[in-house]
Amino acid sequence: MQEKSEVNTDIPNSSRKQDYWFTEYGPTNTAISLRVKYKLFEKTTPYQKIEIFESYDHGRVMALDGFIMLTEKDEFIYHEMIAHVPLFTHPEPTYVLVIGGGDGGAVREILKHETIKKVELVEIDEEVVNAAKIYFPQVASHLDDDRVEISFQDGIEFVKGKKGVYDVILIDSPDPIGPAVGLFEESFYKDAFSALNDSGIIVAQAESPFVFPDLIKQINSIFKKYFPIVRFYLANVPTYASGVISFVLGSKKFDPIKDFNPNRVKKIVQSLRYYNDKIHIASFALPNFFENLLK
Amino acid sequence: MQEKSEVNTDIPNSSRKQDYWFTEYGPTNTAISLRVKYKLFEKTTPYQKIEIFESYDHGRVMALDGFIMLTEKDEFIYHEMIAHVPLFTHPEPTYVLVIGGGDGGAVREILKHETIKKVELVEIDEEVVNAAKIYFPQVASHLDDDRVEISFQDGIEFVKGKKGVYDVILIDSPDPIGPAVGLFEESFYKDAFSALNDSGIIVAQAESPFVFPDLIKQINSIFKKYFPIVRFYLANVPTYASGVISFVLGSKKFDPIKDFNPNRVKKIVQSLRYYNDKIHIASFALPNFFENLLK
């Protein structure tokens, strides 16, 4: 925290909103609130309202349209889990596409894999990338890497017509509200399937089974139409509604459990705070009520 | 929900507090809020303030001193995980002690094991049991079972002087604030160790690694002084702070992973909504930051 040297804020110090509670009401009658030291940034773009504030418990926080997207304290969990599970399932990932994820956290994790030659990041909202570079430098740390190519456009349009290109695609989307709605629909996944090569793997964040059970059912039935291997996995993220997030993995060839080689993890495990070889396997163990959603 | 036939409420319908938000601030600057239809019960006992209300998302909720203890919607997670992990580690549990747990949820799960001959429940606050029987009949459903013996006294005093009695002890305590503070101290665990027989197992709820990391370090070092086998495990409970709760298991003989027989689970898995044989193993996989707390 270098609060005193903060010079890039869009909100002058003298008029900053200070010491209040930010509350995410979510789609239900349950809310999570974070006490805020002061607001750092607020901007309504053509796509969404971006807010960034300094919280007491979780460091800096970015919210999109009132939903917490990442906090400095726990962003490592989501980003490690969306990236390393598919990248340690694929034996030699070289070419990766990330849709959404403009904060750069997924890219940072992807580049820990030395086989990677190119990462394309397709983020609809340029302001998310700009704000992340200023306010979350440790998350956006690798967005200027030579292997990274950023496009500011709609990911749904981007994948149309692409054939057999990628080893891994990550759908690092916000909640299925606003610009991200299309990222949860079948036509998009059909195009994404085609954009993967013959041994390709896709992972998408698939919300919480407590908050969006019907969405999980829907995503499962879409994935099963296209991918021979479909598995959901879980991670505990304290600042997401219900404290848990699920991911869906669709794979053309490699199984995330049978084809997983725990020895490869040793190379980078020192740089990780959540993911390890045991967590990789354990994250696919689903509670009975979740298994029942997939029947 | 039988709202119209509800006759035992201590708060007359006409004066019930209605449609408000209950907020648990916890020990930190992060809060969880549940929107409440109406309050059903409120009483300050010599030990704590008990509140029970009907929520929009989580059915009925019990809070002690402002902390959410259980909700109808997700209580199954905590109760299945505190009970079945040790009871499926021990090859033939017959005699179990529960300290705290006056709502009856742990007892309900314990009695699903057909080897059980006796369960002693030691709850300091009789009013918790009374309220649970009235407002949470599906949680307290087995408190009148012939195999169950309830004592209303301090669990710390109860275990003193007991030698080699129990197969399994469960510490189903609230947060380490108020009457439960002593349940997180060494002298209590020393007595509990003695109260177990030579192949005994103890499990205690050990809070969230995000909220109480120092408490987890402390419990780990206490357990390691007494038990040859000490392992922490995790469960995702949406209405607990940070969405996760840890449990610590101390065992004199049986290892919860090496000595676990998944085939035994089949007998009762149909009655379970969270726990299964894969979850048993997976719950012991800890994220790196948690492993580091135990070093």
Side-chain angles (χ1 to χ4, degrees):
Chain A
M1 303 299 105
Q2 296 183 311
E3 286 157 23
K4 289 190 178 168
S5 66
E6 180 58 69
V7 291
N8 288 304
T9 175
D10 281 20
I11 302 173
N13 272 294
S14 57
S15 63
R16 278 181 181 171
K17 196 176 167 191
Q18 287 192 34
D19 209 353
Y20 64 101
W21 285 82
F22 170 89
T23 296
E24 174 186 306
Y25 285 97
T28 61
N29 288 301
T30 304
I32 181 167
S33 303
L34 308 181
R35 189 174 164 206
V36 176
K37 289 183 181 170
Y38 45 80
K39 187 169 277 191
L40 285 159
F41 177 85
E42 183 175 314
K43 186 162 190 172
T44 300
T45 75
Y47 305 104
Q48 56 208 344
K49 179 180 168 188
I50 304 172
E51 285 172 273
I52 297 172
F53 53 82
E54 182 77 36
S55 72
Y56 278 81
D57 284 351
H58 295 85
R60 290 186 180 173
V61 179
M62 182 190 288
L64 299 180
D65 286 340
F67 288 86
I68 296 164
M69 284 299 114
L70 78 157
T71 83
E72 278 187 328
K73 186 178 175 187
D74 67 9
E75 58 83 14
F76 69 96
I77 302 169
Y78 176 87
H79 291 132
E80 290 182 14
M81 290 300 282
I82 196 172
H84 298 306
V85 173
L87 291 173
F88 279 120
T89 297
H90 195 290
E92 197 179 352
T94 58
Y95 193 8
V96 179
L97 170 64
V98 180
I99 291 178
D103 53 64
V107 169
R108 179 193 62 201
E109 297 304 317
I110 291 165
L111 290 177
K112 291 178 181 172
H113 293 254
E114 56 187 19
T115 54
I116 298 296
K117 292 188 176 143
K118 189 172 180 186
V119 182
E120 283 180 54
L121 177 71
V122 180
E123 165 63 55
I124 202 169
D125 193 344
E126 186 167 0
E127 295 293 349
V128 170
V129 174
N130 293 340
K133 284 182 174 178
I134 295 169
Y135 297 105
F136 296 88
Q138 286 158 339
V139 181
S141 55
H142 288 66
L143 290 179
D144 294 326
D145 188 286
D146 287 345
R147 291 164 289 178
V148 179
E149 192 175 295
I150 305 180
S151 308
F152 297 111
Q153 66 175 100
D154 186 345
I156 295 164
E157 294 304 315
F158 184 88
V159 294
K160 279 184 186 160
K162 295 252 184 330
K163 300 288 179 201
V165 178
Y166 302 103
D167 298 313
V168 175
I169 298 177
L170 304 185
I171 315 299
D172 181 4
S173 67
D175 294 322
I177 295 161
V181 168
L183 295 177
F184 292 86
E185 289 174 356
E186 178 168 352
S187 56
F188 169 65
Y189 286 113
K190 190 178 175 185
D191 291 335
F193 178 87
S194 298
L196 288 167
N197 61 33
D198 289 346
S199 55
I201 300 170
I202 188 169
V203 163
Q205 79 90 352
E207 300 293 346
S208 161
F210 295 101
V211 185
F212 289 100
D214 292 338
L215 187 79
I216 286 171
K217 285 184 179 186
Q218 177 191 317
I219 294 173
N220 184 48
S221 70
I222 293 170
F223 267 61
K224 286 196 160 170
K225 279 193 193 172
Y226 296 95
F227 293 94
I229 298 164
V230 178
R231 290 185 185 267
F232 283 76
Y233 63 96
L234 293 167
N236 167 233
V237 181
T239 53
Y240 287 167
S242 84
V244 74
I245 189 100
S246 76
F247 300 91
V248 58
L249 182 148
S251 179
K252 294 188 180 183
K253 184 174 174 187
F254 300 111
D255 185 282
I257 295 176
K258 290 177 201 148
D259 296 316
F260 173 62
N261 174 2
N263 291 323
R264 278 174 62 207
V265 179
K266 288 174 190 160
K267 283 188 185 175
I268 68 161
V269 75
Q270 286 300 324
S271 74
L272 304 177
R273 287 186 281 163
Y274 190 90
Y275 178 92
N276 57 48
D277 57 331
K278 285 179 187 158
I279 287 284
H280 180 106
I281 299 295
S283 69
F284 289 95
L286 304 179
N288 301 345
F289 81 92
F290 196 129
E291 291 282 9
N292 288 336
L293 292 177
L294 307 181
K295 277 176 186 168
Chain B
M1 301 301 103
Q2 297 184 310
E3 285 158 24
K4 288 190 180 169
S5 66
E6 180 59 67
V7 290
N8 289 305
T9 176
D10 282 20
I11 302 173
N13 272 293
S14 57
S15 63
R16 276 181 182 173
K17 194 176 168 191
Q18 288 192 33
D19 208 354
Y20 64 100
W21 286 81
F22 170 90
T23 296
E24 174 187 306
Y25 285 99
T28 62
N29 289 301
T30 304
I32 181 168
S33 302
L34 308 181
R35 189 175 164 206
V36 176
K37 289 182 182 170
Y38 45 81
K39 187 169 277 191
L40 285 159
F41 178 84
E42 184 175 314
K43 188 163 189 173
T44 300
T45 75
Y47 305 103
Q48 56 208 342
K49 181 180 168 188
I50 304 172
E51 287 173 271
I52 297 172
F53 53 83
E54 183 76 36
S55 72
Y56 278 80
D57 284 352
H58 295 84
R60 290 187 181 173
V61 179
M62 182 190 288
L64 299 180
D65 285 340
F67 289 85
I68 297 165
M69 284 300 113
L70 77 157
T71 84
E72 277 187 329
K73 187 178 174 188
D74 67 9
E75 58 83 15
F76 69 95
I77 302 169
Y78 176 87
H79 291 132
E80 290 183 14
M81 289 299 284
I82 197 172
H84 299 304
V85 173
L87 291 172
F88 279 122
T89 296
H90 195 291
E92 197 179 353
T94 59
Y95 193 8
V96 179
L97 169 65
V98 180
I99 291 179
D103 53 64
V107 169
R108 179 192 64 200
E109 297 304 318
I110 291 164
L111 290 176
K112 290 178 181 172
H113 293 254
E114 56 187 17
T115 54
I116 298 297
K117 291 187 177 144
K118 189 172 181 187
V119 181
E120 283 180 54
L121 177 71
V122 180
E123 164 63 57
I124 201 168
D125 193 344
E126 186 167 0
E127 295 293 349
V128 170
V129 174
N130 293 339
K133 283 182 173 177
I134 294 168
Y135 298 105
F136 297 88
Q138 287 157 338
V139 181
S141 56
H142 288 67
L143 290 179
D144 294 326
D145 189 286
D146 287 344
R147 292 164 288 177
V148 178
E149 192 174 296
I150 306 180
S151 308
F152 297 111
Q153 66 174 101
D154 187 345
I156 295 164
E157 295 303 316
F158 183 88
V159 294
K160 279 183 185 161
K162 296 253 187 324
K163 301 287 179 201
V165 179
Y166 303 102
D167 298 313
V168 174
I169 298 177
L170 305 185
I171 315 300
D172 181 4
S173 68
D175 295 322
I177 295 159
V181 167
L183 295 177
F184 292 86
E185 290 174 357
E186 179 168 351
S187 56
F188 170 65
Y189 286 113
K190 190 178 174 184
D191 291 335
F193 178 86
S194 299
L196 288 167
N197 61 32
D198 290 346
S199 55
I201 300 170
I202 188 170
V203 163
Q205 80 88 353
E207 301 292 345
S208 161
F210 295 102
V211 185
F212 289 100
D214 291 339
L215 187 79
I216 286 171
K217 285 184 179 186
Q218 178 191 318
I219 294 173
N220 184 49
S221 69
I222 294 171
F223 267 60
K224 286 196 160 171
K225 279 192 192 173
Y226 297 94
F227 293 94
I229 298 164
V230 179
R231 290 185 186 265
F232 283 77
Y233 63 96
L234 293 166
N236 167 234
V237 181
T239 53
Y240 287 167
S242 85
V244 73
I245 190 101
S246 77
F247 300 91
V248 57
L249 182 148
S251 179
K252 294 188 181 183
K253 185 174 174 186
F254 300 111
D255 185 284
I257 295 176
K258 291 178 199 144
D259 296 315
F260 173 63
N261 174 2
N263 291 322
R264 279 174 61 207
V265 179
K266 287 176 190 158
K267 284 188 183 176
I268 68 163
V269 74
Q270 287 299 323
S271 74
L272 305 177
R273 288 186 280 163
Y274 190 90
Y275 179 92
N276 58 48
D277 57 331
K278 286 179 187 158
I279 287 284
H280 180 106
I281 299 296
S283 68
F284 289 96
L286 304 179
N288 301 346
F289 80 92
F290 196 130
E291 291 282 10
N292 288 336
L293 292 177
L294 307 180
K295 278 176 185 166

